[in-house]
């Protein structure tokens, strides 16, 4: 018989919810609260940011937005607000959506040279006439707090990550906070994107305390997806397909992490609602622990961007700080 322990231990005594869950017992799932875990990470980062500021090296994060996609504008605003909250300087660069790629490249070159900016992100998607891969290649790898530059991808695969991409890193932190042992666990990831599925798989197979998992990566050509998710101890859904994974695809007592954020038409004021890639109700009946949407992975992605910015500042300024 195998046991999964869903174990919440807020080290600062904020919340202590400890639940030992048998795979063989039919019980309600613990909700893994991404807002609470992200808040704790932000608190810990505040100490590191003060240490850097005291050394004359306040961390700085810039956001670059090309075009006027409303969702991207919202994301950028949230990132700036997050910076303010923890004491990171934030900068913003707007580039006209119709401008030639060179306009964006010039801004990137300027940010690479700007000593006040320790990290920056170019908000995706960029307009169709701009090659996002070329954009990423132009970012100074030392300031690539998204962790998308080929040099940083290579380092991650080699087990020497400089910056872990924010969403996969957030997933790892959620699993850790929920007391989920990845060592020896069978993890099925649905999705193989460069920003979620692939880097998460690479992180979870590392010989490391938060790795050592056996990982199956699924995608749109995978045969019998349900069989692969049902046999997993941990299912991570990152497909961008609303409620793709339902309870029938989850094994008893598995841990479910829902990365998906999908807008679906709904009878609400905005005319839509956000749903994940997991059908929450039915999956929660089977899972021992599960993340909600919203309030699961989303806040963690934002917190880990702050984390990478602090790390970038620490490395560039040569000031040691303790990272959570
Ligand atoms: P993406 O680039 O579109 O990749 C989706 C992946 O899922 C692809 O590998 C695709 O397979 C696979 N897939 C799609 N439909 C599938 C199906 N029916 N069965 C099996 N595999 C399927 O998406 P992404 O950027 O990784 O994002 C995934 C989701 O996470 C989206 O909802 C996005 O909004 C969300 N997201 C959330 C956060 C957060 O902070 N919460 C961060 C990033 C992304 P192929 O490769 O074969 O096409």
């Amino acid at each position: 018989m195998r046991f999964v322990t869903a174990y919440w231990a807020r080290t600062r005594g904020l919340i202590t919810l400890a639940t030992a869950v048998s795979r063989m017992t039919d019980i309600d799932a613990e909700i893994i609260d991404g807002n609470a875990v992200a808040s704790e990470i932000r608190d810990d980062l505040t100490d590191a940011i003060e240490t850097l500021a005291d050394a004359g090296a306040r961390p700085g994060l810039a956001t670059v937005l090309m075009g006027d996609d409303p969702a991207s504008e919202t994301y950028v605003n949230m990132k700036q607000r997050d910076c303010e909250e923890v004491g990171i300087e934030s900068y913003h660069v707007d580039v006209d959506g119709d401008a030639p790629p060179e306009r964006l490249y010039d801004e990137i070159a300027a940010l690479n040279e700007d000593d006040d900016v320790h990290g920056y992100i170019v908000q995706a998607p960029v307009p169709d006439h701009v090659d996002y891969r070329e954009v990423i290649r132009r970012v100074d790898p030392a300031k690539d707090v998204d962790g998308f530059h080929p040099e940083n991808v290579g380092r991650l695969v080699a087990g020497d990550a400089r910056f872990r991409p924010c969403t996969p890193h957030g997933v790892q932190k959620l699993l850790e906070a929920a007391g989920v042992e990845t060592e020896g666990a069978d993890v099925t990831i649905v999705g193989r994107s460069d920003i979620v599925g692939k880097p998460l798989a690479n992180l979870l197979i590392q010989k490391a305390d938060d790795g050592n998992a056996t990982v199956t990566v699924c995608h749109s050509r995978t045969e019998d997806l349900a069989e692969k998710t049902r046999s997993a101890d941990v299912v991570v859904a990152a497909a961008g397909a609303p409620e793709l994974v339902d309870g029938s695809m989850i094994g008893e007592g598995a841990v479910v992490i829902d990365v998906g954020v999908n807008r679906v038409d709904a009878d609400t004021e905005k005319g839509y609602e956000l749903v994940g890639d997991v059908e929450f109700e039915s999956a929660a009946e089977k899972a021992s622990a599960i993340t909600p949407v919203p309030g699961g992975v989303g806040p963690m992605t934002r917190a880990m961007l702050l984390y990478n910015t602090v790390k970038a500042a620490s490395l560039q300024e040569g000031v040691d700080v303790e990272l959570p």
Side-chain angles (χ1 to χ4, degrees):
M1 195 195 307
R2 299 180 66 184
F3 288 88
V4 171
T5 302
Y7 177 74
W8 288 62
R10 323 293 318 130
T11 44
R12 306 281 146 74
L14 277 176
I15 308 167
T16 304
L17 268 174
T19 314
V21 186
S22 164
R23 279 188 146 252
M24 310 304 286
T25 316
D26 183 19
I27 65 134
D28 291 338
E30 291 290 342
I31 308 301
I32 304 175
D33 184 347
N35 284 316
V37 181
S39 165
E40 180 134 332
I41 287 173
R42 279 199 304 272
D43 284 351
D44 287 347
L45 286 174
T46 308
D47 295 339
I49 291 162
E50 273 169 24
T51 305
L52 283 158
D54 289 347
R58 182 172 294 285
L61 174 74
T63 48
V64 182
L65 179 59
M66 186 168 188
D68 52 11
D69 175 55
S72 295
E73 278 173 6
T74 305
Y75 288 136
V76 162
N77 289 339
M78 288 193 306
K79 286 166 187 173
Q80 288 182 323
R81 222 177 316 131
D82 289 343
C83 285
E84 248 168 60
E85 248 179 61
V86 295
I88 290 176
E89 284 297 339
S90 69
Y91 307 88
H92 181 67
V93 180
D94 267 318
V95 180
D96 194 291
D98 295 326
E102 289 69 25
R103 266 283 292 118
L104 179 60
Y105 300 161
D106 288 347
E107 296 294 353
I108 288 174
L111 288 167
N112 287 344
E113 293 302 315
D114 187 338
D115 291 340
D116 291 333
V117 174
H118 298 98
Y120 66 95
I121 58 128
V122 180
Q123 185 66 47
V126 290
D128 288 346
H129 66 283
V130 181
D131 177 1
Y132 188 59
R133 282 176 189 250
E134 179 57 25
V135 170
I136 296 305
R137 278 194 289 269
R138 286 171 182 262
V139 174
D140 179 348
K143 297 189 177 190
D144 167 40
V145 283
D146 265 336
F148 297 163
H149 188 284
E151 180 181 310
N152 287 324
V153 175
R155 286 183 60 152
L156 183 146
V157 172
D160 178 30
R162 180 196 270 135
F163 301 120
R164 299 183 188 204
C166 303
T167 303
H169 196 184
V171 170
Q172 284 190 298
K173 290 286 186 191
L174 280 179
L175 292 173
E176 187 188 318
V180 178
E181 284 283 337
T182 53
E183 178 160 333
D186 289 326
V187 179
T188 293
I189 302 172
V190 187
R192 57 175 166 185
S193 73
D194 290 341
I195 64 168
V196 189
K198 266 192 227 164
L200 180 61
N202 275 304
L203 287 167
L204 290 175
I205 59 169
Q206 297 293 336
K207 243 183 199 179
D209 288 346
D210 54 2
N212 285 329
T214 303
V215 179
T216 302
V217 182
C218 303
H219 45 77
S220 64
R221 313 295 163 90
T222 295
E223 293 205 1
D224 204 351
L225 179 65
E227 183 257 321
K228 278 145 185 108
T229 54
R230 212 179 293 122
S231 63
D233 301 309
V234 178
V235 175
V236 181
E243 301 183 326
L244 171 70
V245 178
D246 66 17
S248 73
M249 298 167 72
I250 302 296
E252 282 292 341
V255 173
V256 178
I257 306 289
D258 190 353
V259 179
V261 182
N262 308 288
R263 274 187 188 192
V264 294
D265 292 343
D267 193 13
T268 62
E269 206 176 302
K270 290 179 176 166
Y272 67 86
E273 64 178 353
L274 294 181
V275 299
D277 289 346
V278 174
E279 192 185 88
F280 184 85
E281 301 293 331
S282 62
E285 280 174 23
K286 295 290 233 10
S288 61
I290 186 167
T291 58
V293 175
V297 176
M300 294 301 296
T301 298
R302 288 162 59 186
M304 301 328 288
L305 179 64
L306 303 176
Y307 177 108
N308 278 351
T309 305
V310 173
K311 187 171 185 189
S314 164
L315 291 172
Q316 285 162 47
E317 302 285 350
V319 178
D320 279 343
V321 292
E322 206 176 310
L323 289 165

